[in-house]
Amino acid sequence: MDALKDRLIEVHALGKAADLLEWDQEVMMPRGGAEARARHLAVLKKTAHEMFVAPDTGRLIEALAPAAEGKDDDESALVRLAAREWRRRSRQPVELVEALTRATALAQEEWFEARKASDFARFRPRLEEIFALKRRQAAALGDFPDPYDAWLEEFEPEMSTARVDGLFAEMKAGLIPLVKAVLAKTASARVPELHGRYEIPAQRRLGLEVARSMGFDFARGRLDESAHPFSSGIAVGDVRLTTRYDERLPFSALYGTMHEAGHGLYDQNCEPALKDTPLTGGATMAVHESQSRMWENQVGRSREFWRRWRGRFVELFPQAAAFSAEDLYRASNRVEASLIRVEADELTYGLHVLIRFELERELLSGRTAVADLPRAWAEKSKAYLGVVPPDDARGVLQDVHWASGLIGYFPTYAVGNMISAQLWNAALAAVPGIPAAIERGDGKPLLGWLVENVHRHGRKFGADELVRRACGAKLTARPYLDYLRAKYGELYGL
Amino acid sequence: MDALKDRLIEVHALGKAADLLEWDQEVMMPRGGAEARARHLAVLKKTAHEMFVAPDTGRLIEALAPAAEGKDDDESALVRLAAREWRRRSRQPVELVEALTRATALAQEEWFEARKASDFARFRPRLEEIFALKRRQAAALGDFPDPYDAWLEEFEPEMSTARVDGLFAEMKAGLIPLVKAVLAKTASARVPELHGRYEIPAQRRLGLEVARSMGFDFARGRLDESAHPFSSGIAVGDVRLTTRYDERLPFSALYGTMHEAGHGLYDQNCEPALKDTPLTGGATMAVHESQSRMWENQVGRSREFWRRWRGRFVELFPQAAAFSAEDLYRASNRVEASLIRVEADELTYGLHVLIRFELERELLSGRTAVADLPRAWAEKSKAYLGVVPPDDARGVLQDVHWASGLIGYFPTYAVGNMISAQLWNAALAAVPGIPAAIERGDGKPLLGWLVENVHRHGRKFGADELVRRACGAKLTARPYLDYLRAKYGELYGL
């Protein structure tokens, strides 16, 4: 066990070094460093991969795996995690992994240009190649009830496609009529809007203050700026958030910061005993997203939040002095039938994800060809959101995920939202003082519950198991739909 | 050859990843990240070491070494460099390397506390351990004419202790009487001094403008702040400088920035064909120091420099409006019999180095024991500089080098100064317009000569060979002494 642990800790350390190089690339690196950085990262990842798939690692895992089944101590969880990862890595031929690396590198460049030109035809051959390789990858990973499982497992281990199907069917049935009903009311509803310019240093100060009030520890973390906000947990003592600033959109940086700080709190509060093993960090992508979404939406887009922060907001931005707390609450919850997922409001967000999940499954089954994507995308967008993208850039080309080979990733965004609502209910039931604390600007009571029930476990449990332990109930879409119905029903007078 | 190259490029990439982690640690890392960072760095360095000393690397080197002797093409230089490094690494028992790593980690902590308490006795056992281990290391590295060669080779390959002895004897004979003569005049000389507070954002702006005028390319580099200024060449396209700011000492940040930018220009202008092989970067520590010192002293502390920058200086710092260019020239060349090497002026700097070099050699020969260091230090300081440290903190405890195991490093500082003067003369002879260009704020003519004669060669040549090629003459201390005599003779009216 000690030998396996040592090996895993070494592989983990090289992976974390790579994470730091990637953080630096987005946040600090001069642009002249790109070429060398790509090489240094490739060597680092190849070295970590070779160290992990070395035959002696496999022998250690095989020897330890039988005894680790069904136990929930740290060491057994570590062995199971290593066994899954080992199976995934050792089943993919080196030649396939290299082909995917090359194809996604080229596709990302091509995607960038194609999106700029809003020209899907230009991107199409690259995407066809990626889907062909990803199909080969799924076949190599083998023996799953559904071939999509092979993709999903990378991001959401221990959750089957059948399970996601069930959750999405429930979400779809509830969300489409709710969104339709709200969109019919947006013209008549009173939703104030922020105008003018909001100075970036003041936006940054607000983000820092809010993140600190959530409980984010800046002695063990940073907040910087990057083109696309992200969070990176280098270690429990070194968690890095980024956001981006737009002078005209103060909510964008604020909620971006709260979102990433939600991820960051998860990474900062993992059980110290798990640190620097691969069990550190968040359970799955969906559970991670539940944390970022909860702080961004259930906390940040609440009346309690704005009762606390309205004063500070208008102090930093005197041009917003006419806005009451209620105005800011309403302004931060404006619903729109929008085209772009990353700019979508909380209510319609799930439908953006649904489009992508359904298209990925159709591409896999062959029901839709890559060449048909723009048409299929437009149909679904029309059916679910009532809008048709006027061009490829605002439709099928808007996300980088597919170009990066991140297929099977999108559903975790929506499952994360479902989990956030279910955990939020459980937290409120256990700690009724949470809303009052938020109104005082004190995130600690909520954070305390999350640390105890979610964060400390690191990657020990899958999403279903974690929700069962935290909430004493099975994960469903119901609490998420109830939450949206209550909030937006009241806001839009349904 | 290709197999060896691939291996060396991989080892180099892991080393550069470690460099980035170290840069980040000094410049960006939240303090909570220290523990994990130490582990991640240890794994990265161990992995690079094991990859390098793997038996197949050794076999490749052995097969290629005979044909590489005496040739000056890139590949032969690469093989020679690899062979030297391989010999050094494979001759040191793992147990000794680990003991040195542990001992220096502990010694650095102890040094920090001992310096704070100004208590050499506290540090003494640690230093004894380090010198004992370094003596074992020298024995393991074996077969050098002088045991000090084994230490020197780490920083100044292809230069013998006998050679350094010769250069230092020359320097000592010329410098001690010159320093005495100048110090006798400091009371009567007109040397203005800056007073008051100099705002840090303006200091930073000045540093950026001056570095840019030198030719430092900020699309391939950065300037940040750290406790101790340093420069780190992650790649030719990614060179990072740091400086530190003190509101009362604007020269400290300015010359710190110029010094590090001098190192950085060297790293930015290596022949692109050498990039990402171990031949990239600077020849030796002394040659690197010649570049930082030349920009700091021959350029930055010149009349031409201040004729160009005086206007900007008083624009940024109106409190200095009464200072003429001549005043700033004189103020930046103030000579003092000071105690601290890193704050020493250009004239006395070499004597600070001489003290350390002589003590290292006496410690190695056994003529001085570690326990006697404070007394020996005081004697030499009195003899060479005319001052006696009032306490250990301002004497033997002032530098971290010995605690870090950097023994054999100090002489490169002084040899670097000698080289800077000799290269400077050669540059002026080849490009007479250099001083006029500096007076226009244009570093390009000097940089162009340095790129052609020094930078582009990377690590291909040792210091002696590089000077021979660049200057058509043997490296000596003479040009350095002549330069100091002329400059300080005029300034202090000798």
Side-chain angles (χ1 to χ4, degrees):
Chain A
M1 186 66 215
D2 285 347
L4 178 63
K5 238 184 190 166
D6 286 349
R7 172 60 56 92
L8 294 177
I9 287 172
E10 284 190 355
V11 174
H12 183 77
L14 295 181
K16 288 297 160 183
D19 285 350
L20 185 79
L21 265 65
E22 285 174 341
W23 173 85
D24 181 86
Q25 182 172 330
E26 301 301 322
V27 181
M28 295 291 159
M29 189 185 76
R31 58 178 193 280
E35 197 192 328
R37 182 59 48 90
R39 268 197 307 276
H40 297 168
L41 269 169
V43 171
L44 207 45
K45 288 179 177 182
K46 176 170 166 272
T47 306
H49 172 79
E50 284 172 355
M51 199 184 271
F52 183 70
V53 299
D56 54 330
T57 317
R59 278 192 296 272
L60 288 169
I61 291 172
E62 268 170 35
L64 293 159
E69 278 311 309
K71 298 206 188 109
D72 70 358
D73 61 294
D74 294 353
E75 293 193 341
S76 300
L78 188 62
V79 172
R80 284 197 304 275
L81 179 72
R84 186 175 64 229
E85 190 61 23
W86 164 265
R87 182 169 43 74
R88 283 189 71 85
R89 295 227 203 177
S90 56
R91 284 192 183 172
Q92 297 180 58
V94 176
E95 156 271 317
L96 176 61
V97 173
E98 287 177 356
L100 261 167
T101 305
R102 256 196 320 275
T104 52
L106 289 170
Q108 286 173 75
E109 272 177 51
E110 199 66 37
W111 167 81
F112 187 81
E113 296 302 326
R115 189 176 69 158
K116 219 159 55 179
S118 195
D119 180 6
F120 179 73
R122 180 170 177 171
F123 181 52
R124 188 188 123 186
R126 294 289 173 208
L127 192 57
E128 283 171 341
E129 188 188 2
I130 284 175
F131 269 99
L133 289 167
K134 289 293 285 186
R135 242 183 252 110
R136 275 188 58 205
Q137 183 199 44
L141 292 170
D143 69 12
F144 289 99
D146 186 307
Y148 191 87
D149 287 339
W151 296 345
L152 185 64
E153 191 194 49
E154 189 176 346
F155 311 106
E156 205 54 38
E158 294 172 40
M159 184 171 282
S160 65
T161 305
R163 180 89 180 91
V164 174
D165 268 341
L167 291 168
F168 270 58
E170 202 186 343
M171 175 181 83
K172 188 175 178 177
L175 198 51
I176 290 180
L178 176 60
V179 166
K180 275 216 169 75
V182 170
L183 289 177
K185 295 278 205 158
T186 49
S188 59
R190 186 185 76 82
V191 183
E193 212 173 342
L194 292 172
H195 292 289
R197 300 205 170 267
Y198 297 79
E199 281 199 355
I200 288 170
Q203 288 197 39
R204 179 172 154 78
R205 195 169 323 158
L206 179 66
L208 287 169
E209 289 175 15
V210 169
R212 203 167 277 125
S213 81
M214 290 162 61
F216 188 81
D217 178 0
F218 281 96
R220 300 189 293 133
R222 303 178 45 96
L223 171 65
D224 295 279
E225 209 176 331
S226 67
H228 301 279
F230 67 100
S231 111
S232 180
I234 306 299
V236 291
D238 186 357
V239 177
R240 301 179 180 204
L241 319 175
T242 74
T243 191
R244 62 178 159 203
Y245 299 97
D246 181 327
E247 276 205 328
R248 289 162 318 156
L249 303 170
F251 285 165
S252 163
L254 172 63
Y255 290 115
T257 301
M258 290 187 80
H259 181 99
E260 300 308 334
H263 284 303
L265 286 170
Y266 197 170
D267 288 330
Q268 280 190 336
N269 289 295
C270 181
E271 181 71 54
L274 305 180
K275 81 173 171 214
D276 251 24
T277 75
L279 285 180
T280 195
T284 70
M285 296 310 298
V287 182
H288 236 303
E289 194 71 6
S290 78
Q291 299 306 293
S292 54
R293 284 288 178 173
M294 185 186 296
W295 289 100
E296 177 189 353
N297 291 327
Q298 275 92 345
V299 176
R301 291 190 166 94
S302 70
R303 286 198 167 91
E304 289 80 5
F305 177 83
W306 282 113
R307 283 194 206 116
R308 162 64 182 84
W309 290 98
R310 184 258 164 199
R312 184 65 179 137
F313 190 84
V314 303
E315 199 171 271
L316 288 165
F317 308 113
Q319 64 269 46
F323 280 68
S324 66
E326 180 67 17
D327 290 335
L328 290 167
Y329 171 66
R330 288 176 176 268
S332 66
N333 285 294
R334 154 182 295 275
V335 174
E336 253 174 322
S338 66
L339 292 163
I340 306 292
R341 178 184 58 85
V342 295
E343 294 163 7
D345 53 81
E346 183 188 16
L347 180 68
T348 59
Y349 190 87
L351 298 180
H352 288 270
V353 173
L354 183 66
I355 293 172
R356 289 150 179 81
F357 174 60
E358 290 185 350
L359 289 175
E360 286 181 352
R361 304 211 60 208
E362 292 177 13
L363 285 160
L364 180 59
S365 71
R367 211 184 118 185
T368 297
V370 168
D372 289 333
L373 271 178
R375 183 198 47 73
W377 187 290
E379 275 173 23
K380 287 189 192 287
S381 182
K382 176 83 187 140
Y384 303 158
L385 291 159
V387 287
V388 173
D391 51 39
D392 294 338
R394 281 175 282 181
V396 65
L397 286 177
Q398 68 183 267
D399 297 308
V400 73
H401 296 58
W402 291 342
S404 313
L406 297 176
I407 302 170
Y409 188 109
F410 281 119
T412 70
Y413 289 135
V415 176
N417 281 333
M418 300 174 202
I419 296 172
S420 74
Q422 202 157 353
L423 289 175
W424 175 251
N425 289 348
L428 292 192
V431 190
I434 285 173
I438 291 170
E439 198 165 334
R440 291 193 309 270
D442 178 8
K444 291 282 159 59
L446 172 58
L447 180 59
W449 188 88
L450 291 171
V451 169
E452 180 58 27
N453 291 280
V454 180
H455 300 178
R456 71 184 174 90
H457 298 304
R459 292 175 70 193
K460 279 178 72 177
F461 308 116
D464 274 310
E465 175 67 10
L466 197 82
V467 169
R468 196 188 59 68
R469 285 172 181 255
C471 310
K474 198 179 150 144
L475 165 61
T476 78
R478 167 61 87 58
Y480 171 57
L481 291 167
D482 288 347
Y483 159 77
L484 292 177
R485 259 184 222 114
K487 179 172 180 178
Y488 291 92
E490 190 261 350
L491 268 168
Y492 285 87
L494 299 187
Chain B
M1 187 65 215
D2 286 346
L4 177 63
K5 238 184 190 165
D6 286 349
R7 171 60 55 92
L8 294 177
I9 287 173
E10 286 191 353
V11 173
H12 183 77
L14 295 182
K16 287 297 161 184
D19 284 350
L20 185 79
L21 265 64
E22 285 173 341
W23 174 86
D24 182 86
Q25 182 172 329
E26 300 302 322
V27 181
M28 295 292 159
M29 188 183 76
R31 58 178 193 280
E35 197 193 328
R37 182 59 48 90
R39 269 196 306 277
H40 298 167
L41 268 169
V43 171
L44 206 47
K45 290 180 177 182
K46 176 170 166 271
T47 305
H49 173 79
E50 284 172 356
M51 198 183 271
F52 183 70
V53 298
D56 54 330
T57 316
R59 277 191 296 272
L60 289 168
I61 291 171
E62 269 169 37
L64 293 160
E69 278 311 309
K71 297 204 190 113
D72 71 356
D73 61 296
D74 295 353
E75 292 192 343
S76 299
L78 188 62
V79 172
R80 283 197 305 274
L81 179 71
R84 185 175 65 228
E85 190 62 22
W86 163 266
R87 182 171 42 77
R88 281 189 71 85
R89 292 226 204 179
S90 56
R91 284 191 185 174
Q92 297 180 60
V94 176
E95 156 272 316
L96 176 61
V97 173
E98 287 177 356
L100 260 167
T101 305
R102 255 195 322 274
T104 52
L106 289 171
Q108 285 172 77
E109 273 177 51
E110 199 65 36
W111 167 80
F112 187 82
E113 297 301 325
R115 190 177 67 158
K116 219 159 52 181
S118 195
D119 179 7
F120 179 74
R122 183 171 174 168
F123 180 53
R124 186 188 126 187
R126 294 290 172 208
L127 191 57
E128 283 171 340
E129 187 187 3
I130 284 176
F131 269 99
L133 289 167
K134 290 292 285 186
R135 244 184 252 112
R136 275 190 57 205
Q137 184 199 43
L141 291 170
D143 67 14
F144 289 99
D146 186 307
Y148 191 88
D149 287 340
W151 297 344
L152 184 64
E153 191 195 48
E154 187 176 347
F155 312 105
E156 205 53 39
E158 295 173 40
M159 185 171 282
S160 65
T161 305
R163 179 90 181 91
V164 175
D165 268 341
L167 291 168
F168 271 58
E170 202 185 344
M171 175 180 84
K172 188 175 176 177
L175 199 50
I176 291 180
L178 177 61
V179 166
K180 275 216 169 77
V182 170
L183 288 177
K185 295 277 203 161
T186 49
S188 60
R190 188 186 75 84
V191 183
E193 211 174 345
L194 291 171
H195 292 289
R197 300 206 167 265
Y198 297 78
E199 281 200 355
I200 288 171
Q203 289 197 39
R204 180 172 154 77
R205 197 170 320 157
L206 179 66
L208 287 168
E209 289 175 16
V210 169
R212 201 168 279 122
S213 81
M214 289 162 60
F216 188 82
D217 178 0
F218 281 98
R220 301 190 292 131
R222 303 177 47 93
L223 172 65
D224 296 279
E225 208 177 331
S226 66
H228 301 279
F230 67 100
S231 114
S232 179
I234 306 299
V236 290
D238 186 357
V239 177
R240 302 179 179 203
L241 319 175
T242 73
T243 190
R244 61 179 161 202
Y245 299 98
D246 181 328
E247 275 203 330
R248 290 161 318 157
L249 304 170
F251 285 165
S252 162
L254 172 63
Y255 289 115
T257 300
M258 291 188 79
H259 181 98
E260 300 307 335
H263 284 302
L265 286 170
Y266 197 170
D267 287 330
Q268 281 191 335
N269 291 295
C270 180
E271 181 73 54
L274 305 181
K275 79 174 173 214
D276 251 23
T277 74
L279 284 180
T280 195
T284 70
M285 297 311 298
V287 182
H288 236 303
E289 195 71 6
S290 78
Q291 299 305 292
S292 54
R293 283 288 176 174
M294 185 187 296
W295 289 100
E296 177 189 353
N297 290 329
Q298 275 92 344
V299 176
R301 291 191 167 93
S302 69
R303 286 198 167 91
E304 289 81 5
F305 177 84
W306 281 114
R307 282 192 207 118
R308 161 65 183 83
W309 290 97
R310 184 257 165 202
R312 185 63 180 138
F313 190 84
V314 303
E315 199 171 271
L316 288 165
F317 307 112
Q319 64 269 45
F323 280 70
S324 67
E326 180 67 17
D327 290 336
L328 290 166
Y329 170 65
R330 289 176 175 267
S332 66
N333 285 295
R334 157 183 292 275
V335 173
E336 251 174 321
S338 64
L339 293 163
I340 307 292
R341 177 185 58 86
V342 296
E343 294 163 7
D345 53 83
E346 183 188 16
L347 179 69
T348 58
Y349 190 86
L351 298 180
H352 289 269
V353 173
L354 183 67
I355 293 172
R356 288 150 180 81
F357 175 61
E358 290 185 350
L359 289 175
E360 286 181 353
R361 303 211 61 208
E362 291 178 14
L363 285 160
L364 180 60
S365 72
R367 208 182 119 186
T368 297
V370 170
D372 289 335
L373 271 176
R375 185 198 45 74
W377 187 289
E379 276 173 24
K380 287 189 191 287
S381 182
K382 176 81 189 145
Y384 303 158
L385 291 159
V387 286
V388 173
D391 50 39
D392 294 338
R394 281 175 281 181
V396 66
L397 286 177
Q398 67 181 268
D399 297 307
V400 72
H401 297 58
W402 290 342
S404 312
L406 297 176
I407 302 169
Y409 187 109
F410 281 119
T412 71
Y413 290 134
V415 176
N417 282 332
M418 300 174 203
I419 296 172
S420 74
Q422 202 158 355
L423 289 173
W424 175 251
N425 289 348
L428 292 192
V431 189
I434 285 173
I438 292 169
E439 196 164 337
R440 292 193 310 271
D442 179 7
K444 292 282 159 57
L446 173 59
L447 179 59
W449 188 89
L450 291 172
V451 169
E452 180 58 28
N453 292 281
V454 180
H455 300 177
R456 69 183 176 91
H457 298 304
R459 292 176 69 193
K460 279 178 71 177
F461 308 115
D464 275 309
E465 174 67 9
L466 197 83
V467 168
R468 196 188 57 73
R469 286 172 181 256
C471 309
K474 197 178 151 149
L475 166 59
T476 77
R478 166 64 85 59
Y480 170 57
L481 291 168
D482 287 346
Y483 157 78
L484 293 177
R485 258 185 222 112
K487 179 172 180 178
Y488 292 91
E490 191 261 350
L491 268 166
Y492 285 87
L494 296 188

